[in-house]
Amino acid sequence: MGLTKEDVLRMAEEMNVRFIRLQFTDIFGILKNVAIPVEQLSKALEGEIQFDGSSIEGFLRIEESDMNLVPDPNTFVLFPWKPKEGAVARLICDVYNCDGTPFIGCPRGRLKKVIAEAAEMGLFMNAGPEAEFFLFHTDADGLPTLQTHDNAGYFDLTPVDLGESARRDMVLTLQEMGFEIEASHHEVAPGQHEIDFKYNDALTTADSLATFRFVIRTVAQRHGLHASFMPKPIFGINGSGMHTHQSLFKGEKNIFHDPNSPYELSEEAINYIAGLLEHAPAFTAITNPTINSYKRLVPGYEAPVYIAWSQRNRSPLVRIPARRGTGTRIELRSPDPSCNPYLALTVMLKAGLDGMKRKLNPPEPEDRNIYAMTAEERLERKIFSLPGSLEEAMKNLENDAVILDAIGDHIWERFKEAKKIECDSYRMQVHAWEVENYLSKF
Amino acid sequence: MNTLEYCLGVPDPVDRRAVISALSLNGLSCVGEGYDGGHFLRVVRTVQPQLAILDLALPGNVLETAAIIDQECLAALLLLEGKRSKRNVVNLNRSTFIILKLPVQEMLLNSVVEVLYMEFKRRQKMQQEISALRAKLQARTIVERAKGVIMKEFSFSEEQAYRFLQKKSMDLRLPLKEVAETIFKGNFLKKTN
């Protein structure tokens, strides 16, 4: 939008803003806030607000804890839900060290770095995510349950469907915050919903995703519901994905389109696809970063399992939607909404760019249903699987220098440590399934 | 107002019966009940009653539920303070909501409900007016800005600029606001590119 610091100060005064939330995400994509009164805004805009980095997971140790928040004026937005007096606005921030250099562990900073890498090649990325989520009922303590409105059955004859009305409010709230909503609908599973917003440049899209999850949760809570972006909350029904449409532009021109090539896809597009396929085993650890993520990536629920690409078929990892011209794009179907949106876009773009730099070529597109093939057929056609677990994905990531370079040593070290703890704790736990299957048997 | 419908969240069975029977004297009907804060919200959102009656003793965060119903103008709101309510009342800002102590006289309950509902209708109407005015004000600001752009671009007087906008709006069969928006944005893009 091109807002300046002065614009922000003026708007804050015009809109009677009393508090500003300075937002950033930790390395796991969890939104963090530092709230300041409006009197501190001009100081904040100069990047002079400090916070204790050691209290943020994956940031810094106690000895080196002072960090600065540098707000991006373009992200100034008023929260639509109003307290009694005055309004609350937010600014998304980059994290800097106190000596004024960008902090290498800031996910937004990592995305900016790879965006700059694309810019050196004269390119910029547009991305459009489709985030799915579930709406669950809460219990007497306000904690989420697994009960969805669709199968609750209490108010079958009421004039309003709670899920629909909550979703409508979400759309209205997002629109008020400047989102352009393209579609909003009920998804395949009971209680599952999807709201799509218009594609934008990668940084804006990542900012939007961080905001999106927070808005959806808040509005759901105001309906007595809990919105969950957990990838696979219920066994036996579809999980929640975050298919990400991506394209690269040179000025006004979409460089993925070439009317004279096969499938009307340019060589760059083909190389980009090959890059995605090549690095998928590794970047899956970032785009699908929880143990639960891998319970979604199983056959039978419209989630991708095999590393392949296709034009029509929805079973492979990469699908090419039918639109051509400026709308030509690539849809990566594996990411899920538990990812850190900044890092997820960082690794996707990096993988694609690497494919273009090395002029990689993907295997032939796969228009047959891969699920119906035998293991031998898949091997023959060189169709491999996405990692089956977080541990497997982490191992792949450890061996992929390109993706590691994109996220940087700092994030990688912290991420590796945290994920190891996560996997160990899960491995040692006795799960309900085990009790159910073994307790009476042995 | 004898067709008034309400949702009720009162956990104590004796209090609950007393309220329902008192309100039925005036022809009010209970169209939904909630057993905790979140559930009450879900019921109110789905049934859409004109009135919500909420006991402070209801499990869950009752005050937050009350605040949401109030802020979003979902229904007229009456809070009750029954036998079990003690734990909640401590940090309640009493000036915000009307609270009746149980047991309550039938006459008093019915007249309070009546007043609350009238107040609610009044507030609803005012809010609608405010949103309409806000939209108008916003449209006007955009038109002003677009006018500024046109005046500068073509060295027009203010009147000429307005006439230009008006003409474009008629030619294109688009609301003035949309034309102004397009002009303002277009100018902005030119500047940044």
Side-chain angles (χ1 to χ4, degrees):
Chain A
M1 279 195 297
L3 292 177
T4 63
K5 290 172 188 168
E6 290 69 37
D7 289 334
V8 170
L9 284 169
R10 182 179 44 80
M11 283 158 77
E13 199 185 325
E14 269 175 22
M15 294 163 176
N16 190 25
V17 171
R18 294 289 286 274
F19 284 95
I20 293 105
R21 290 198 191 174
L22 303 178
Q23 300 185 320
F24 58 98
T25 67
D26 66 11
I27 66 172
F28 307 106
I30 309 295
L31 200 60
K32 304 285 172 187
N33 277 306
V34 176
I36 55 160
V38 71
E39 292 77 20
Q40 298 278 324
L41 180 58
S42 62
K43 196 176 153 200
L45 287 166
E46 296 304 325
E48 288 170 19
I49 299 286
Q50 286 197 329
F51 73 103
D52 174 7
S54 66
S55 51
I56 303 296
E57 238 188 313
F59 267 26
L60 284 183
R61 296 177 213 289
I62 286 228
E63 317 83 77
E64 34 173 8
S65 50
D66 275 345
M67 319 202 78
N68 284 41
L69 289 174
V70 180
D72 182 342
N74 283 324
T75 61
F76 183 81
V77 168
L78 208 63
F79 287 138
W81 46 88
K82 292 179 191 73
K84 283 249 146 32
E85 282 162 44
V88 181
R90 76 93 202 267
L91 280 163
I92 294 180
C93 303
D94 290 309
V95 182
Y96 275 65
N97 300 310
C98 47
D99 63 5
T101 52
F103 171 49
I104 48 161
C106 172
R108 197 170 190 262
R110 298 317 295 182
L111 179 56
K112 279 181 154 179
K113 191 161 176 281
V114 66
I115 288 174
E117 190 182 324
E120 270 170 34
M121 300 162 71
L123 302 171
F124 76 92
M125 179 201 210
N126 272 322
E130 303 172 351
E132 295 166 341
F133 56 90
F134 278 85
L135 290 177
F136 292 118
H137 284 189
T138 50
D139 65 10
D141 297 321
L143 298 172
T145 64
L146 277 180
Q147 192 164 42
T148 65
H149 187 70
D150 300 21
N151 51 26
Y154 296 134
F155 305 113
D156 284 344
L157 295 173
T158 55
V160 180
D161 178 286
L162 185 64
E164 298 272 325
S165 112
R167 208 179 61 227
R168 196 194 54 224
D169 272 8
M170 288 165 187
V171 169
L172 290 174
T173 309
L174 288 166
Q175 280 175 335
E176 243 180 279
M177 293 179 77
F179 281 70
E180 266 187 75
I181 305 296
E182 296 216 305
S184 132
H185 54 87
H186 198 289
E187 259 298 331
V188 179
Q192 195 186 26
H193 299 264
E194 176 176 317
I195 296 176
D196 304 337
F197 52 88
K198 195 169 183 245
Y199 71 86
N200 218 321
D201 66 272
L203 189 65
T204 308
T205 295
D207 284 341
S208 299
L209 271 170
T211 309
F212 177 82
R213 291 193 295 206
F214 159 71
V215 170
I216 298 297
R217 284 233 184 84
T218 308
V219 176
Q221 189 214 345
R222 294 178 81 84
H223 284 73
L225 297 167
H226 175 82
S228 178
F229 290 94
M230 181 174 170
K232 184 88 173 186
I234 301 169
F235 167 74
I237 59 177
N238 281 18
S240 296
M242 195 185 80
H243 303 166
T244 307
H245 295 257
Q246 26 202 305
S247 52
L248 286 179
F249 278 71
K250 198 169 243 170
E252 299 279 300
K253 191 182 175 314
N254 182 338
I255 63 153
F256 281 180
H257 185 231
D258 178 0
N260 306 316
S261 296
Y263 321 111
E264 290 188 46
L265 289 174
S266 68
E267 197 190 328
E268 284 93 340
I270 297 289
N271 298 153
Y272 190 96
I273 294 170
L276 284 178
L277 298 186
E278 164 130 340
H279 294 290
F283 72 56
T284 302
I286 301 289
T287 53
N288 305 65
T290 63
I291 288 165
N292 186 255
S293 297
Y294 297 85
K295 304 194 168 173
R296 168 178 161 257
L297 299 177
V298 295
Y301 301 102
E302 296 180 27
V305 181
Y306 300 109
I307 302 174
W309 69 290
S310 168
Q311 298 233 63
R312 284 165 263 166
N313 195 339
R314 280 171 192 255
S315 63
L317 178 64
V318 171
R319 183 178 78 97
I320 314 299
R323 278 279 299 279
R324 289 294 182 268
T326 19
T328 313
R329 59 188 188 263
I330 285 163
E331 178 191 14
L332 186 74
R333 298 173 56 78
S334 63
D336 70 51
S338 70
C339 68
N340 179 326
Y342 297 99
L343 293 183
L345 284 165
T346 302
V347 294
M348 290 185 251
L349 178 55
K350 182 75 178 186
L353 290 181
D354 185 55
M356 287 167 64
K357 283 180 186 162
R358 288 164 54 205
K359 299 217 173 292
L360 294 177
N361 276 312
E364 284 298 298
E366 195 49 75
D367 291 333
R368 284 170 54 199
N369 183 359
I370 309 175
Y371 297 122
M373 293 182 193
T374 63
E376 290 79 36
E377 278 179 288
R378 286 200 301 269
L379 194 65
E380 195 182 302
R381 302 175 82 91
K382 293 209 171 65
I383 301 173
F384 302 105
S385 299
L386 283 170
S389 69
L390 181 57
E391 278 153 315
E392 196 184 328
M394 287 300 286
K395 263 188 214 128
N396 296 339
L397 178 55
E398 190 153 23
N399 296 321
D400 191 322
V402 175
I403 302 299
L404 285 186
D405 176 54
I407 60 172
D409 289 343
H410 181 97
I411 291 184
W412 165 237
E413 291 301 331
R414 305 302 193 279
F415 191 74
K416 185 166 70 172
E417 199 179 307
K419 290 298 156 185
K420 185 170 181 319
I421 296 172
E422 195 173 327
C423 289
D424 282 348
S425 130
Y426 177 78
R427 191 164 43 80
M428 287 186 282
Q429 196 58 244
V430 177
H431 299 276
W433 183 92
E434 296 170 81
V435 175
E436 200 179 298
N437 281 273
Y438 302 143
L439 192 62
S440 56
K441 207 175 193 174
F442 298 105
Chain B
M1 71 173 249
N2 50 5
T3 51
L4 207 69
E5 295 179 331
Y6 65 94
C7 284
L8 188 65
V10 176
D12 184 84
V14 179
D15 286 346
R16 179 185 161 274
R17 264 200 306 276
V19 172
I20 294 179
S21 104
L23 291 175
S24 69
L25 291 178
N26 229 4
L28 272 69
S29 62
C30 177
V31 288
E33 290 192 69
Y35 45 74
D36 63 54
H39 184 243
F40 191 78
L41 260 184
R42 295 196 287 275
V43 175
V44 168
R45 294 267 193 192
T46 27
V47 182
Q48 302 195 332
Q50 290 110 320
L51 174 68
I53 303 176
L54 195 51
D55 190 323
L56 291 171
L58 203 69
N61 197 340
V62 181
L63 292 181
E64 199 184 305
T65 304
I68 291 169
I69 293 173
D70 181 62
Q71 282 165 12
E72 300 198 13
C73 229
L74 297 178
L77 178 68
L78 172 63
L79 294 185
L80 299 174
E81 192 177 333
K83 294 187 210 69
R84 308 187 193 170
S85 309
K86 287 203 181 68
R87 62 178 182 100
N88 271 324
V89 187
V90 190
N91 45 16
L92 184 61
N93 179 1
R94 282 173 180 271
S95 59
T96 319
F97 305 114
I98 305 286
I99 307 169
L100 285 183
K101 227 181 167 87
L102 290 172
V104 59
Q105 274 187 329
E106 286 165 0
M107 282 276 285
L108 177 64
L109 179 62
N110 276 303
S111 38
V112 167
V113 160
E114 208 156 326
V115 173
L116 279 174
Y117 180 62
M118 302 292 240
E119 233 354 87
F120 170 68
K121 292 298 284 181
R122 216 165 65 96
R123 201 177 133 198
Q124 223 178 13
K125 208 177 138 208
M126 262 163 50
Q127 282 205 332
Q128 278 161 4
E129 272 172 28
I130 291 175
S131 341
L133 285 173
R134 195 171 280 156
K136 240 184 214 168
L137 188 67
Q138 209 187 2
R140 189 161 294 181
T141 317
I142 293 168
V143 170
E144 282 304 316
R145 283 183 179 167
K147 246 166 44 179
V149 171
I150 297 165
M151 282 160 68
K152 209 167 156 197
E153 197 81 354
F154 303 109
S155 321
F156 276 2
S157 71
E158 195 179 342
E159 214 171 303
Q160 282 171 314
Y162 187 72
R163 181 69 200 133
F164 176 87
L165 266 176
Q166 217 176 20
K167 178 108 187 15
K168 277 271 172 279
S169 157
M170 287 190 284
D171 290 348
L172 297 165
R173 290 184 209 154
L174 282 173
L176 201 60
K177 184 188 158 208
E178 271 178 46
V179 177
E181 234 164 22
T182 317
I183 289 178
F184 183 62
K185 269 191 200 152
N187 183 59
F188 189 77
L189 282 177
K190 225 168 46 188
K191 252 199 284 181
T192 45
N193 277 338

